[in-house]
Amino acid sequence: MSRAQVLATADRVAAPHIVVAIMGDGSLWTHEADWTAALRGLIQTYLGDDRRAGTRGTYADPGCSYEDDLAESAFRDVTEHRFPVARAWTPEEVLGYLRTTSFARPALFAGRHHEFEAESLRLLKDHARGGVLKENAVFTVLLARRRGGNG
């Protein structure tokens, strides 16, 4: 989606006191841990180096941050809130999560998905400590208002 276009539309149609919230904590593709790096490498051996995105394409870095997008919009008054999140995944939960992503959904594997999942499960079990894979992330919430806005 065009971030600038979404923000321009929000400015045009939303009440004066609207607050725009942009939030997230990345994904296992972007998380930096030994096990996520190994898993990302395995995905790339099957699908190539480019990260898949959407239903047909690859991920294209937007080139600027959400903060930059907001600074160029009507919603320039930004506050950031950061919340540490510690997750414990089982290898099977990671496989379930991967099935829901655009970068490792089953259809991408052209009939090799079962092979990929079996290899992933072995890899994840090798990295798990006590059957658990740790993910320490930060969930970031950007709240943006129009300058001088109430809310």
Side-chain angles (χ1 to χ4, degrees):
M1 82 178 123
S2 166
R3 295 174 180 181
Q5 193 171 36
V6 169
L7 291 167
T9 300
D11 182 38
R12 191 177 71 252
V13 302
H17 60 279
I18 188 82
V19 176
V20 172
I22 299 174
M23 60 188 89
D25 64 348
S27 74
L28 292 184
W29 184 276
T30 59
H31 182 68
E32 293 300 327
D34 289 346
W35 68 273
T36 57
L39 181 60
R40 189 170 45 251
L42 179 62
I43 293 167
Q44 289 172 319
T45 64
Y46 279 85
L47 303 178
D49 289 340
D50 292 335
R51 175 180 170 183
R52 302 303 176 97
T55 57
R56 298 183 190 157
T58 58
Y59 178 78
D61 190 309
C64 63
S65 68
Y66 290 112
E67 292 87 348
D68 292 339
D69 292 328
L70 291 166
E72 296 295 321
S73 78
F75 302 96
R76 292 182 181 97
D77 186 7
V78 179
T79 57
E80 180 180 290
H81 306 274
R82 297 170 62 84
F83 304 93
V85 178
R87 292 186 185 96
W89 299 82
T90 66
E92 294 79 10
E93 288 170 334
V94 173
L95 291 182
Y97 165 80
L98 290 177
R99 291 181 199 120
T100 70
T101 68
S102 61
F103 63 81
R105 68 187 185 284
L108 294 173
F109 292 86
R112 296 180 64 205
H113 187 253
H114 290 296
E115 178 185 335
F116 165 74
E117 281 203 336
E119 199 168 341
S120 295
L121 188 57
R122 284 190 299 277
L123 179 149
L124 294 167
K125 285 182 176 182
D126 286 347
H127 281 84
R129 301 293 172 252
V132 175
L133 299 153
K134 300 279 186 178
E135 177 193 10
N136 293 308
V138 175
F139 191 86
T140 302
V141 179
L142 300 174
L143 298 177
R145 295 171 176 80
R146 293 179 180 102
R147 290 276 160 111
N150 302 321

